[in-house]
Every structure is written in C-alpha cells, then in structure tokens.
Amino acid sequence: LTMQAARCPTDELSLSNCAVVNEKDLQSGQHVTVKTTPNHKFVFTVTTHHTVAPGSIAFSLPQRKWAGLSIGQEVEVANYNFDKSKQCIGAMTIEIDFLQKKSTDSSPYDSDRMAAEFIQQFNNQGFSVTQQFVFSFCDKLFGLMVKDIEAMDASILRGEPASGKKQKIDIGLMVGNSQVIFEKAESSCLTLVGKAKTKEARQSIINPEWNFEKMGIGGLDKEFSDIFRRAFASRVFPPDIVEQMGCKHVKGIMLFGPPGCGKTLMARQIGKMLNAREPKVVNGPEILNKYVGESEANIRKLFADAEEEQKRLGANSGLHIIIFDELDAICKQRGTGASSTGVHDTVVNQLLSKIDGVEQLNNILVIGMTNRPDLIDDALMRPGRFEVKMEISLPDEKGRVQILTIHTNKMRGYNLLAPDVDIKELAADTKNYSGAELEGLVRAAQSTAMNRHIKATSTVEVDMEKAEKLQVTRSDFMGSLDNDIKPAFGTNQEDYSNYIMNGIIKWGDPVTRVLGDGELLVQQTKNSDRTPLVAVLLEGPPHSGKTALAAQIAEDSEFPFIKICSPDKMIGHSEISKCQAIKKVFDDAYKSQLSCVVVDDIERLLDYVPIGPRFSNLVLQALLVLLKKTPPKGRKLLIIGTTSRKDVLQEMEMLDAFSTTIHIPNISTGEQLVDALELLGSFTDKERASIAHQLKGKRVWIGIKKLLVLIEMSLQMDPEYRVTKFLSLLRDEGPLD
C-alpha cells in the first residue's frame, strides 16, 4: 500500500507506540514495515482509530522524528511477520530520561515496577534498535530510546533448558517474559532504583596512585584504616548493593588530638586519596563575619555546589569534601557565647541543617579538626553528622620511625645523611614528640650541619669546598635533641633537675627503702593491666627530702611524660585558674601512654593554713576527682604526692585517694648523721671523727635538706671553728639527748 503520513489523532494514542490507521486499511495488532526512502525501512505495530482517513497512517512526534517522516509524505506500507523462533525479545536495554526538562524531579523511580508496566503496555509490539517513543509512568512522561536488543534463546521457547547463547538482533517482538533493562541517559538527573537498571560504569573512589609514604604521612596507619573502614567502605561498594542494604554513607569525620600530630595533613591527604573534587579547606574563623546573616551565608556557599550537583545528577553526583580547620572557633556549645548576638549559635544551626537537615545531602564528606573536642556542640557529634571521631594522638616508636624516615628520605637520596645516623635510635630517644616536633628536629639538625660550613669572617660566607662534603651527622641530631627541640607533652628535665641538684643522699635504710618501694610502684604502673592508675603519697616532716625523692623516682621511671605540679607555678592564681592549671597537667598526661605526675606540697596547693580561712575547697575537690580518675584505655598514670601534714589530709579525707602512703623520716641518730656527712664529703676525716665522738649514742632530729643548710653555713667559718659551729647550729634545731 502507498499511504500518506499524518499526525497522531489523540495524546493517548501517541503514548501507545503504534502507528494509527483506518480499520478499512489494516487490522489492529498487525506489524508493518514503513519504507520512507529506497534504503530506509522501519517496523511498526499498528492500531486502528475511526478519525484517521483511509489511505493515511498517523505517527506520533517521536516516531516521525525517529523515522525522518514529515506530514503528508507518501510511504510504502507492507505486512511484516516476525519469526518467533529467532525474533522474540529476550532482553532489551532502553535509555530513559524525562520527556520535558521542566518536569524533572529528584524522587527515585522503581525500575522493576517500570519494567512490569512497560511489558504490559507494549506486549506483542515490534521494537527496533534506535527507536524513539514516549512512555507514561506514575503520571510522568518519559522519553525512551531502544539501545540494544537480545534475542530470546530458542531452547527456552521450546521448553528446554537455556543454551546460554546470546544473539543481538536489530528488530524484535516484545513478549510476556521478555526482560526490560532501563539505563539512565548520560546527562539525566533521573534517579532509578531496583534491579531492572544497568550497572553504571563506576570510577573507583580511591585514587589508584595512592601511597602512604609518598603522601608524607607516618605513624597513622591504624587511624587511616579505621577512617577507611567507617567512612569509605560504603562508598567503594556498587551503589545498588548499598541501596539494597539501606545503608547511608558517613558524612562527617572529626579528627582531634594534640597540636602537631598530623590532623590537618591527614585531612588534606584524604582529599588526594579520593577521586573527588578538590577539597574546600576552610579555617573556622574565616567563616565569621561582622554583618548579620553573613556567617550563615558563608556556610551555605560551601554546600551550594554539592546541592546543585545532587539536584542535577542525584545518586551519580561526585563526592564533595569540605574540611573545617579549627572547628571549635565556630562550633562552640550553643548558649555559651557571652555576646548578645548569638552568632556562634546560628552558625552551628546552619551547619547542622546542611549536614543532616530535612533536605539532607548524600554527596558530601565534612572533615572537622580541633585540639579541643570538649568545646564543640554535642548536636554535631551524633551519628549522621560527625559520627566518626578519631583521636590523632602522639606517634608511638614505630610511627616515629616512619615520620623520621619520611623527613630524611630526600637527604638520604642525595647522600647528605651520614651513615652514623640511626633512625631507630632517634625514634627511641624522641618519646612524646609529635610529628611536627620530629620535623622540627630534622630541620634543627640540618641547620646545625649547615652552620659548620659558614666562615666566621667580617662577612657571612659559605665555605664552598667544605659545603660540597656537607653531611648531617648523628651529633647534629643529638645536639638538637638536647638543646633545640623539646616536646610540648614530654619530660621537661629542668622541672625536676632543680629538686635533685645535690643528688640523693642515702644516709640509711629508710632512704633505700623509699627508693625501692618507688621502683616497685613504677614497675606496677608499667606492667599491670588491672591498675592503670597508681597513686602514692610521700609524707614526712618538713625538710626531710620528700620532693627530691619523688623527683628521683619519677626520673628513674624513664616515663615519656613527667610533670611536676607545684605551688610555685601557681602563685597569684585564682581558685578557678588553679583548678584549670592542675587539670591541664592531668589532661596532658592522659595523652601519653606512660605518664608520671608529681603533685608537690599538697597542703600549699590547697592554700592550707591552721588559722583563718583554712583551705580552698574548690582545689581540694578538683584534686580528689583527678587523683581517682582512671586514665583512658591504653594509657597508664603514676601519681606521686608529697605532704608535710598527713593529719590535715586525713581530716580532708584525701588519704583515701592514694593507693599507698610511704613515710619519709628525718635523720634520727648520730650514726645516720655521720653517714650523711661522709656521703656529702664536706668535712675532713678528722672533723667527721670529732663530730662522731660528740654525737655518739645521742639522738638527733633533722631533715636532710636542713642538714645541708647547716653544713654550708658551718663551712663559711675558719677550719678550726667549723665543728663547733656545726654542733651549735645542730643543738639550736633541737636538743641532742
């Protein structure tokens, strides 16, 4: 038949994917070929409608577009019979998009329901590859294009097991058990869910060139693996599996810990590790603006790109990483700000709503960093927001080896590192050093080495001959370790070296016993898992050497963190600031794996006096809490307290806070005093013999510290009067009986 192309009479018929004819020409359900040019034929299934004039064949707009037809064009129409053994559709892949861009939405469409409705609507119709048509589903119109047709296995049609052979065909007949697979058009923002959709070619989220050592991160292997497990494992899996599990991606990571341990470096490298957009790095204070509403607008701008992309691409949107440095500057606890404007509160509210509000985004990862996690609003820390909380603490020895290796690699490559530099030895000597301090140590050693090659003339010149042979040696590192770089969370030797500048005078068994008990307590702290907190009180009369013994026990322990909390550093402090200073010492101690805190002269810390306002209750309560507080898991703490007023602490119920009490006695016999004089070596043998004769069988009562003062006073006299003066001073301290 030669027929004329016409416009489809109704909208309903244009959705049927059929060519429409008059019943006098052809029967409904018949398949025909429409020849538009000598070389172009298209297969259609026809339906009849009385409004179509005889001799005309009506097509919808997508059909005319596909076949290149114009209205009124003459076409040749012939019967077409499908070979059902070869041309039944086994599987058909269809590209789908919204028909009109203005009707787009981001709600997900179930591809399984869509496929079932498609087969029902277009059963027994012919389809060709590249064919375009319209499909109505859930009151929305979708534009479809056939991408691929696979013939049904002839064995299945005969009722036999499938042979497994797959054959592509250009034209096929839709039957009841055909499989329809929907594939989203490339630039479409349509969201498909369910199994009847193609698995999109996915780019791996992890950058294939990612390497720890090249990234310059050391000592954080465990932290990285924990972050990966929590935050990225769900993003590596195919989206349809994640979807079937009903799993939501982690949107926030909170990194906290001491300064210089690699929080900012780690956040920066997470961005490089992922195949994501360049991370947006924001310093907390930069967000704040003096104009009303501007700070909140700055937060909204950070999330604008991610919002726009999610609306456009839905589940296919890439990952947007936003890094907040110094998060505590903008996310303090709400209601704590002193200003009346409440700017911090509104910024926190805005951030909360963006990360996990009503219109939540699923294509973001927010990384926050802070040294003060205690300041941050609780609402930000719940699951769904900053749910992965990771402490980036001081590196252990293995971590320090990695960090030092990273910072000396370049020197080693150019043969600028002397063979005597042992990285493992340096790592063992740098307990409690942070990553930044280790980098500083390497820099200090380099500058020491360079300084050797600078000529000390009227002008500053480099000795080029020697500079050619420049090498950084072990002595450069050791010199920098002793003089230049000290760890912020470490042992400050100057703290306790003043207390033991004269050494420990072992004048008798009591001193030896105290040091022995101290060694046992150190071993208990190191080795016992049942008692991570050990607190001991050294008590005794004034000037008996309690502080020196406490400092000696602390030094002998060789713990990486040793701090002395003494009243001389808190002169003029208010009660509150004194409590905060004491708490800071303990907080710092919890950051190290093994720590020793000496709480010296407890009654002075408590402002104790026997008359008037007796003591500071605020400081007492703070100390009682801190002395009993168990350190975090994996940390161990030894507390050594000293006091001259055990009776006062007993009344204050403070003795119960200590695990054990050790008594430090004064020198009580003439023999002990002579032994002390011999160890000090201040008097001659003849003078000591004279003193021994005078004190034989007599009892004395003097502290070792006071004894040192009396000896030094006596030594200022002429040699013939020294002994007499010494004995006179001794009698003034108490009767010799």
Side-chain angles (χ1 to χ4, degrees):
L1 293 171
T2 301
M3 303 181 83
Q4 264 193 347
R7 189 177 276 114
C8 191
T10 67
D11 286 346
E12 198 178 331
L13 285 170
S14 67
L15 296 175
S16 67
N17 190 35
C18 292
V20 190
V21 293
N22 192 290
E23 57 217 359
K24 290 177 184 172
D25 293 330
L26 294 162
Q27 291 176 354
S28 201
Q30 217 176 322
H31 309 295
V32 294
T33 57
V34 175
K35 193 173 183 183
T36 55
T37 67
N39 299 325
H40 291 91
K41 280 184 187 174
F42 300 90
V43 173
F44 289 98
T45 303
V46 296
T47 188
T48 57
H49 197 265
H50 62 89
T51 57
V52 178
S56 293
I57 182 164
F59 300 99
S60 67
L61 179 63
Q63 288 171 326
R64 295 201 303 273
K65 196 174 165 187
W66 170 55
L69 286 161
S70 54
I71 292 166
Q73 181 181 344
E74 288 196 346
V75 291
E76 284 182 28
V77 179
N79 259 338
Y80 184 86
N81 292 313
F82 280 98
D83 179 349
K84 294 203 174 176
S85 65
K86 293 179 182 175
Q87 284 188 293
C88 284
I89 295 174
M92 181 162 78
T93 306
I94 296 171
E95 192 176 89
I96 182 168
D97 194 3
F98 291 106
L99 186 64
Q100 295 171 312
K101 294 293 178 194
K102 64 182 180 186
S103 64
T104 58
D105 66 11
S106 57
S107 52
Y109 288 90
D110 186 343
S111 57
D112 301 324
R113 267 187 59 212
M114 204 180 260
E117 206 163 304
F118 182 93
I119 291 165
Q120 197 175 348
Q121 201 169 320
F122 300 121
N123 199 11
N124 278 322
Q125 283 196 23
F127 286 94
S128 310
V129 174
T130 72
Q131 184 173 344
Q132 295 176 22
F133 53 102
V134 180
F135 172 51
S136 173
F137 177 74
C138 290
D139 298 328
K140 283 268 184 191
L141 294 179
F142 296 93
L144 308 185
M145 188 190 81
V146 179
K147 276 193 84 173
D148 189 55
I149 302 176
E150 206 174 88
M152 192 174 281
D153 194 335
S155 311
I156 295 172
L157 295 170
R158 293 194 294 268
E160 297 167 9
S163 66
K165 288 180 185 174
K166 291 183 179 179
Q167 191 179 355
K168 304 273 186 186
I169 52 175
D170 291 330
I171 301 168
L173 180 69
M174 176 67 63
V175 290
N177 56 348
S178 297
Q179 187 187 359
V180 177
I181 301 159
F182 290 100
E183 186 178 289
K184 204 173 73 164
E186 199 172 318
S187 60
S188 172
C189 57
L190 173 68
T191 307
L192 290 177
V193 294
K195 293 179 181 173
K197 67 177 200 290
T198 52
K199 291 178 173 55
E200 295 141 6
R202 294 177 60 256
Q203 184 188 26
S204 170
I205 190 167
I206 304 298
N207 193 333
E209 294 173 7
W210 176 58
N211 177 307
F212 253 153
E213 297 292 322
K214 284 182 190 167
M215 287 165 73
I217 298 178
L220 295 175
D221 302 34
K222 182 185 176 296
E223 287 82 353
F224 244 119
S225 63
D226 283 355
I227 286 176
F228 187 87
R229 176 177 59 83
R230 291 293 314 282
F232 302 125
S234 65
R235 295 181 188 272
V236 173
F237 259 74
D240 42 338
I241 296 176
V242 175
E243 199 179 280
Q244 287 160 27
M245 289 179 76
C247 170
K248 282 186 179 175
H249 300 309
V250 164
K251 294 183 201 164
I253 302 172
M254 174 69 72
L255 305 177
F256 64 93
C261 286
K263 297 184 293 296
T264 309
L265 177 66
M266 194 177 202
R268 208 181 296 129
Q269 300 300 0
I270 284 173
K272 286 184 188 170
M273 176 184 101
L274 301 175
N275 277 330
R277 278 149 196 72
E278 188 69 27
K280 292 181 181 175
V281 182
V282 191
N283 284 322
E286 287 174 8
I287 291 290
L288 301 176
N289 193 302
K290 65 180 178 180
Y291 296 110
V292 174
E294 280 298 310
S295 303
E296 297 88 317
N298 288 341
I299 294 276
R300 287 195 291 276
K301 281 176 199 163
L302 289 175
F303 292 88
D305 292 347
E307 274 182 340
E308 183 271 329
E309 193 171 305
Q310 179 149 313
K311 277 180 190 163
R312 191 160 45 85
L313 299 177
N316 288 339
S317 168
L319 182 64
H320 292 254
I321 300 174
I322 301 166
I323 298 171
F324 282 98
D325 207 356
E326 307 303 338
L327 188 68
D328 49 282
I330 55 167
C331 292
K332 287 190 175 72
Q333 292 275 358
R334 285 172 291 180
T336 56
S339 76
S340 57
T341 56
V343 169
H344 282 101
D345 294 6
T346 53
V347 170
V348 175
N349 293 341
Q350 184 70 70
L351 193 58
L352 290 176
S353 66
K354 282 293 170 196
I355 297 175
D356 188 30
V358 178
E359 291 183 2
Q360 58 182 10
L361 298 168
N362 208 24
N363 59 346
I364 55 166
L365 180 66
V366 184
I367 304 173
M369 291 167 286
T370 179
N371 305 328
R372 297 290 307 275
D374 51 304
L375 294 180
I376 290 175
D377 194 86
D378 296 339
L380 274 168
M381 306 301 272
R382 73 151 172 81
R385 288 165 185 163
F386 287 106
E387 66 180 276
V388 178
K389 292 176 269 296
M390 187 63 58
E391 181 176 4
I392 310 297
S393 55
L394 298 167
D396 57 9
E397 193 166 326
K398 183 183 163 200
R400 292 196 294 275
V401 169
Q402 286 182 0
I403 294 166
L404 286 164
T405 305
I406 287 164
H407 290 305
T408 54
N409 259 345
K410 207 161 189 179
M411 288 195 288
R412 197 177 288 105
Y414 288 101
N415 199 28
L416 295 174
L417 197 67
D420 65 346
V421 177
D422 183 356
I423 296 294
K424 287 184 179 171
E425 180 197 10
L426 280 175
D429 289 345
T430 49
K431 292 170 184 168
N432 273 33
Y433 275 67
S434 67
E437 285 157 351
L438 291 169
E439 189 184 354
L441 175 69
V442 173
R443 273 202 306 271
Q446 288 166 341
S447 53
T448 308
M450 287 175 186
N451 200 48
R452 283 202 302 274
H453 301 292
I454 293 175
K455 289 179 187 172
T457 59
S458 54
T459 57
V460 177
E461 290 176 23
V462 175
D463 189 340
M464 289 310 291
E465 286 177 24
K466 288 183 181 175
E468 299 288 326
K469 300 169 188 170
L470 170 70
Q471 276 200 325
V472 183
T473 64
R474 178 180 178 275
S475 59
D476 295 327
F477 277 100
M478 290 305 168
S480 302
L481 204 59
D482 294 336
N483 306 318
D484 298 326
I485 308 293
K486 298 286 181 192
F489 296 95
T491 304
N492 189 352
Q493 206 158 1
E494 292 164 11
D495 261 9
Y496 55 79
S497 56
N498 293 336
Y499 296 112
I500 44 177
M501 58 185 179
N502 297 309
I504 297 295
I505 314 299
K506 295 179 183 174
W507 48 261
D509 288 344
V511 181
T512 315
R513 194 185 69 248
V514 170
L515 290 172
D517 287 352
E519 174 61 24
L520 282 176
L521 291 163
V522 167
Q523 292 306 321
Q524 180 187 341
T525 310
K526 271 184 190 172
N527 304 326
S528 170
D529 291 326
R530 292 183 177 180
T531 52
L533 174 70
V534 176
V536 57
L537 179 68
L538 305 185
E539 61 83 19
H543 312 303
S544 55
K546 300 179 294 296
T547 306
L549 285 165
Q552 188 64 47
I553 293 167
E555 186 178 37
D556 292 347
S557 74
E558 295 186 347
F559 282 3
F561 182 96
I562 300 171
K563 267 284 192 290
I564 294 189
C565 178
S566 71
D568 61 358
K569 291 176 186 164
M570 300 184 196
I571 296 168
H573 280 215
S574 68
E575 283 186 298
I576 292 172
S577 62
K578 194 182 277 192
C579 289
Q580 286 170 341
I582 296 169
K583 183 175 182 293
K584 187 178 185 308
V585 170
F586 279 83
D587 284 346
D588 289 351
Y590 298 145
K591 289 168 186 167
S592 176
Q593 287 172 328
L594 276 174
S595 309
C596 177
V597 174
V598 177
V599 186
D600 189 29
D601 214 352
I602 293 175
E603 65 273 18
R604 286 287 73 75
L605 273 176
L606 297 174
D607 299 332
Y608 171 77
V609 279
I611 54 169
R614 305 290 292 277
F615 63 91
S616 163
N617 188 47
L618 210 59
V619 179
L620 171 65
Q621 298 306 327
L623 265 177
L624 283 172
V625 169
L626 292 168
L627 288 171
K628 292 180 181 177
K629 184 183 174 186
T630 311
K633 194 177 178 186
R635 309 279 198 264
K636 294 182 175 184
L637 176 62
L638 171 64
I639 302 169
I640 306 173
T642 71
T643 182
S644 306
R645 296 299 303 265
K646 182 184 174 186
D647 54 324
V648 172
L649 299 195
Q650 179 82 55
E651 282 181 41
M652 292 175 177
E653 297 182 350
M654 195 181 233
L655 286 187
D656 300 337
F658 289 95
S659 322
T660 182
T661 306
I662 298 175
H663 178 66
I664 314 289
N666 272 348
I667 295 172
S668 56
T669 66
E671 287 76 19
Q672 287 174 342
L673 193 141
V674 172
D675 287 347
L677 291 176
E678 192 174 336
L679 287 166
L680 286 163
S682 304
F683 291 110
T684 62
D685 292 349
K686 188 179 174 186
E687 286 169 334
R688 276 202 307 278
S690 171
I691 293 168
H693 177 70
Q694 297 269 359
L695 297 178
K696 193 173 183 184
K698 293 193 175 178
R699 293 185 64 79
V700 295
W701 187 249
I702 189 165
I704 185 73
K705 199 171 168 185
K706 196 62 176 263
L707 180 64
L708 278 168
V709 174
L710 301 188
I711 291 168
E712 290 305 312
M713 275 179 74
S714 308
L715 291 175
Q716 308 313 311
M717 303 285 289
D718 289 337
E720 58 195 276
Y721 301 115
R722 280 180 190 171
V723 174
T724 316
K725 183 64 180 172
F726 175 69
L727 292 168
S728 164
L729 290 168
L730 202 58
R731 283 191 194 92
D732 291 345
E733 288 302 311
L736 304 175
D737 54 355

